[in-house]
Structures are given as structure tokens and as C-alpha cells.
């Protein structure tokens, strides 16, 4: 399996695109602004979108992507998400006010978009891949994902804060790569707590729950850094010695990882 980083930033700026990962060619994890770097042909190969939660930086490109794809779709694009996330999308985005409701266009019987609710703990088999839904802890209902690969699981925390349930799940899986958010620097520690995100000291507390003995060859990808905070986050991570203790990789849009 190949994971292509389309976006891994917590906001936008030049070369900073918000969260989206393309698995092989047909599965999208989140639909942030990074989706805009795909060609139309690449978009049309996507069959399934798995959302972590309803925040704009994770769903911003979804309405525009479906509009771009519509004329070429031969079957509905399936969007998998928590029931609460689907309800938010229906109420606030696909409501014929902000954007057309493509779940009933061109007809309710043959729509361009189909929503599929999911729950924590489920395993979905799509496009030859097995995706496990993991618990996340955020200020809206949220999940993470783990995708089975020949060399171990690629796992993504989604947006989250302190989350013992996530680590209980993760330590039961062989991991090839863990993608974990670190949205804020230490100077924004209080904001990180309030918004239920991580900063470097909170990242250290979370990674301390990872049983590294179970995961030889693991890479840990840092994602969701705010563009204005990125240099300070890197400095804070260095000051805490996390790069010496863990195999950290700073994610960038355009990276590809093969598993």
C-alpha cells in the first residue's frame, strides 16, 4: 500500500495544505485542502472517503471535489463517518444553501454521494484494504483509523488529546507507521488543552503510552502543525529530546510512503 500525503497542516498558507491522505488510488482519509492537488483523473479513481470528524480543515475540499467528479462518476462516492459527522455535513454543508445536497442529486435513487455511518471498533474492507476505526478524543465526535498493510498497520490518530483508549488499541496492532497530530507549540499549551489538541509536552505524554518493543521499524509522522507554529513546535520537540527517543518524521504535502 502507498500513502500519499496530500495535506498535513492545521491551516493554510503557501505550501501548507490541510489534512488529507490518499491510500493507493481509491481511498481518501479526510478531505482537507490538499485534495486540490489531485488531477481530475486522480479524483475519479477515489471510491471511498473516510472522515475523522466534521471540522472544516478535514472536510473543506469534499463539496468541491464531488462537484468536480460528478460528470465522470459511474457510482456514488461513498463517504464513511460517524453519524454525528454525517448529521453535521447534512445540516451545515450539503443543505442546498452552502452547497447542493449531492446525496439526492441527480436523483435520490442514483445520487453522486452516499453517506455510510461507522462506529469505533468496526473493520471496513474496501478496495482490497482493511480499515479499523479507532477512538479519538476531540471537542466534536471524532475517530482515528488503522489500515492493515503487509509491513504492519498505518495508523492515524485524527485530531485528539489524551486518549488512553487509542493506545490500548494501537498496542494490540503491529505498526509500520503512526501519524499523530501536534497542532500547537508549548507557548500555546493552554489553547491545546482547551481545543483538545496536542502540543509537544502532551505529545510526549501520549507517546509514553506506546509500547515501542511491539513495533520494530516504526516511523512516527508528525502532522497537523499550524503553519505559524511549525518552527516553534520543531524547537520544542527538540528541546524535549523526543527525536532522540522516537523515530520521528515531519510530514510534508507531497510525501509518499510505501508499506
Amino acid at each position: 500500500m502507498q500513502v500519499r500525503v496530500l495535506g498535513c497542516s492545521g491551516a493554510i498558507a503557501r505550501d501548507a495544505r490541510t489534512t488529507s491522505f490518499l491510500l493507493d488510488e481509491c481511498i481518501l482519509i479526510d478531505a482537507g485542502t490538499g485534495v486540490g492537488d489531485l488531477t481530475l483523473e486522480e479524483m475519479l479513481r477515489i471510491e471511498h472517503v473516510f472522515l475523522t470528524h466534521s471540522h472544516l480543515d478535514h472536510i473543506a475540499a469534499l463539496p468541491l471535489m464531488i462537484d468536480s467528479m460528478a460528470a465522470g462518476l459511474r457510482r456514488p462516492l461513498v463517504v464513511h463517518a460517524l453519524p454525528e459527522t454525517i448529521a453535521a455535513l447534512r445540516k451545515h454543508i450539503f443543505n442546498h444553501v452552502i452547497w447542493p445536497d449531492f446525496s439526492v442529486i441527480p436523483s435520490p435513487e442514483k445520487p453522486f454521494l452516499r453517506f455510510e455511518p461507522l462506529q469505533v471498533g468496526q473493520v471496513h474492507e474496501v478496495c482490497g484494504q482493511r480499515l479499523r476505526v479507532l477512538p479519538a478524543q476531540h471537542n466534536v465526535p471524532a475517530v482515528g483509523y488503522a489500515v492493515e498493510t503487509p509491513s504492519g498497520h498505518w495508523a492515524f490518530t485524527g485530531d485528539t488529546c489524551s486518549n488512553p483508549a487509542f493506545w490500548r488499541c494501537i498496542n494490540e496492532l503491529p505498526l509500520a507507521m503512526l501519524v499523530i497530530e501536534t497542532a500547537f507549540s508549548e507557548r500555546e499549551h493552554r489553547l491545546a488543552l482547551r481545543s483538545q489538541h496536542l502540543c509537544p509536552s502532551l505529545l510526549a505524554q501520549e507517546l509514553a503510552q506506546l509500547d515501542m518493543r511491539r513495533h520494530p521499524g516504526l516511523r512516527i509522522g508528525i502532522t497537523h502543525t499550524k503553519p505559524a507554529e511549525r518552527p516553534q513546535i520543531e524547537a520544542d520537540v527538540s528541546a524535549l529530546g523526543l527525536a532522540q527517543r522516537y523515530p520521528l518524521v515531519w510530514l510534508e504535502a507531497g510525501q509518499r510512503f510505501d508499506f
Side-chain angles (χ1 to χ4, degrees), residues 1-6 20-29 38 42 45 127-129 147-152 154 177 219 254-259:
M1 185 185 79
Q2 182 179 88
V3 176
R4 179 176 167 186
V5 182
L6 302 179
S20 190
F21 301 95
L22 183 64
L23 278 52
D24 287 336
E25 293 185 327
C26 77
I27 301 172
L28 199 61
I29 304 292
L38 295 175
E42 288 172 325
R45 296 188 191 108
C127 298
Q129 304 293 350
V147 187
E148 189 174 335
T149 82
S151 55
W154 178 85
M177 187 171 193
R219 289 173 287 182
Q255 289 173 325
R256 298 172 190 248
F257 298 93
D258 294 304
F259 301 96

Side-chain angles (χ1 to χ4, degrees), residues 3-216:
V3 176
R4 179 176 167 186
V5 182
L6 302 179
C8 55
S9 176
I12 60 169
R14 177 176 290 180
D15 299 325
R17 297 158 180 82
T18 67
T19 303
S20 190
F21 301 95
L22 183 64
L23 278 52
D24 287 336
E25 293 185 327
C26 77
I27 301 172
L28 199 61
I29 304 292
D30 279 339
T33 62
V35 172
D37 286 343
L38 295 175
T39 67
L40 181 57
E41 291 73 21
E42 288 172 325
M43 289 183 193
L44 285 169
R45 296 188 191 108
I46 297 170
E47 298 178 23
H48 298 268
V49 179
F50 285 81
L51 299 177
T52 57
H53 65 294
S54 60
H55 281 164
L56 187 62
D57 53 324
H58 295 256
I59 60 97
L62 182 61
L64 295 169
M65 181 180 78
I66 296 173
D67 200 19
S68 295
M69 296 169 69
L73 284 173
R74 298 294 175 262
R75 61 179 70 84
L77 178 69
V78 183
V79 174
H80 306 259
L82 287 170
E84 297 91 336
T85 302
I86 294 172
L89 289 171
R90 288 188 181 279
K91 180 177 181 179
H92 300 294
I93 303 295
F94 298 102
N95 56 11
H96 296 299
V97 177
I98 299 300
W99 207 246
D101 183 358
F102 283 112
S103 68
V104 296
I105 295 173
S107 72
E109 295 75 28
K110 294 184 178 181
F112 292 135
L113 165 66
R114 179 162 59 87
F115 289 112
E116 284 287 339
L118 51 71
Q119 298 291 342
V120 170
Q122 290 180 338
V123 175
H124 294 258
E125 297 192 16
V126 298
C127 298
Q129 304 293 350
R130 286 171 54 87
L131 291 87
R132 185 183 305 271
V133 186
L134 302 176
Q137 182 63 43
H138 198 35
N139 54 14
V140 295
V143 297
Y145 294 104
V147 187
E148 189 174 335
T149 82
S151 55
H153 285 74
W154 178 85
F156 176 37
T157 62
D159 285 9
T160 194
C161 58
S162 178
N163 188 9
F166 176 85
W167 300 108
R168 286 195 293 271
C169 294
I170 283 298
N171 283 321
E172 294 177 356
L173 302 174
L175 290 182
M177 187 171 193
L178 169 66
V179 175
I180 185 167
E181 70 116 298
T182 309
F184 294 103
S185 67
E186 280 304 299
R187 63 191 175 197
E188 299 288 1
H189 185 101
R190 288 186 179 180
L191 181 56
L193 289 172
R194 183 176 179 180
S195 60
Q196 297 192 325
H197 280 290
L198 298 180
C199 63
S201 61
L202 298 176
L203 171 67
Q205 292 175 23
E206 293 305 291
L207 291 180
Q209 301 175 67
L210 180 63
D211 187 349
M212 292 296 294
R213 297 169 299 176
R214 292 176 174 261
H215 314 296

